[in-house]
Amino acid sequence: MSERKKTEKPAEPKFTITLNERQLRLLQKVCESWARMCMGQTWDMAEDLAWLHYEYKPDDPEFDKRILRRDACKEMLELAMRAASGGNLEHFRKTEDVQVALDMYSVIRNFFWHQLPDDKRESWTVDADPVYIWGPEPKITVKKEGE
């Protein structure tokens, strides 16, 4: 019986993306929002959509309208998710892509927490926790240029 040679898996290519802080924060938000939508969690998306282009002013009648819009948006998103899933929100689960998106979100969130001055960091926040990787991909790295 001949011994089979173990074939080594070729190394996967790595990529470098250069982003400014706004772009990195947007990437963080996109990863979180997309992952949450894929899991049927519509509240954050409804919140973001309802408050677009709005700057709070005390006693502004628009504020109450935005609250109603947010709630209506959440209901509509839930209806859309039910339609997409055939009526069963249990259909939405953490797929590997969702896990990878949440991993990326967590790494970026943790990076920004570490960028805060010590007196601005709150130790109880989840941002302070070491990042646990759920998905099948290696943890992404985020470094600030010059560090």
Side-chain angles (χ1 to χ4, degrees), residues 23-104:
Q23 293 166 326
L24 185 59
R25 287 188 185 278
L26 183 58
L27 178 61
Q28 173 190 2
K29 187 173 198 138
V30 167
C31 287
E32 180 188 20
S33 296
W34 178 78
R36 288 187 181 281
M37 286 300 293
C38 287
M39 294 186 298
Q41 297 176 6
T42 60
W43 183 257
D44 287 335
M45 182 66 74
E47 184 83 13
D48 286 348
L49 292 172
W51 298 106
L52 278 176
H53 311 296
Y54 178 77
E55 192 171 315
Y56 175 74
K57 296 171 212 101
D59 301 318
D60 184 1
E62 179 68 17
F63 181 79
D64 290 335
K65 290 178 187 174
R66 294 289 175 136
I67 296 288
L68 293 173
R69 284 185 194 174
R70 179 201 60 200
D71 294 347
C73 183
K74 181 178 183 297
E75 286 180 34
M76 293 302 292
L77 287 170
E78 285 180 2
L79 285 171
M81 299 305 280
R82 286 186 193 287
S85 69
N88 180 6
L89 287 182
E90 290 298 312
H91 164 80
F92 297 103
R93 302 237 185 259
K94 281 187 185 173
T95 64
E96 285 187 358
D97 282 349
V98 168
Q99 290 173 348
V100 171
L102 290 172
D103 291 347
M104 292 171 62

Side-chain angles (χ1 to χ4, degrees), residues 25 111-122 127:
R25 287 188 185 278
F111 168 79
F112 281 126
W113 183 83
H114 282 286
Q115 296 300 303
L116 293 171
D118 289 342
D119 64 332
K120 299 284 186 201
R121 291 186 199 160
E122 297 191 29
D127 299 345

Side-chain angles (χ1 to χ4, degrees), residues 94 98-107 109-110 126-140:
K94 281 187 185 173
V98 168
Q99 290 173 348
V100 171
L102 290 172
D103 291 347
M104 292 171 62
Y105 157 72
S106 298
V107 168
R109 182 185 65 199
N110 183 262
V126 70
D127 299 345
D129 294 340
V131 177
Y132 180 84
I133 298 300
W134 294 92
E137 299 299 325
K139 184 166 96 173
I140 66 169

